[in-house]
Amino acid sequence: MAESEGAAAKEPKAAAKPTSPAGEPDLKALSDRIKARRKEKGWTQADVARTSGLSANAVSQIERCLNEDPAADALAKLDAGLEWPANTADSILRGTELASASAH
């Protein structure tokens, strides 16, 4: 009985594990959130590029997870362009986003 209790206690921890390994940027989460925000606003990648000051190619690469380590200034530009609070893109990428920020 003690063995099954110990195994059951470990299950929630495994489920709570982040998708990407610890310390690695979560490119998929950032990509998904950017796409969702664009669709919510009815914008294209070109619209995000225009409002953020990034190139359309840069926005596309981030959305397709091709830029493995977006620069801090690019993430700040995404925040501004997507009308997110400061540091939201970086928080999503690093897996440190606050629950309240996900509603933005």
Side-chain angles (χ1 to χ4, degrees):
M1 183 85 171
E3 271 185 40
S4 64
E5 287 175 353
K10 291 181 183 178
E11 284 181 36
K13 288 182 184 177
K17 237 180 183 179
T19 308
S20 64
E24 290 186 26
D26 193 345
L27 301 171
K28 178 78 169 113
L30 181 60
S31 170
D32 290 346
R33 290 288 302 281
I34 291 169
K35 288 176 194 174
R37 182 65 167 179
R38 275 198 311 104
K39 289 178 182 181
E40 173 187 311
K41 295 282 196 180
W43 292 347
T44 64
Q45 289 178 345
D47 293 328
V48 174
R50 191 170 28 263
T51 60
S52 68
L54 293 171
S55 69
N57 186 46
V59 174
S60 174
Q61 287 185 350
I62 292 170
E63 278 198 14
R64 293 183 295 141
C65 302
L66 298 178
N67 184 341
E68 294 183 14
D69 190 21
D73 66 324
L75 296 174
K77 288 178 179 182
L78 277 173
D79 289 338
L82 293 167
E83 300 174 350
W84 278 340
N87 299 315
T88 299
D90 184 65
S91 296
I92 295 166
L93 186 64
R94 307 290 170 221
T96 59
E97 180 184 23
L98 298 174
S100 62
S102 65
H104 295 279

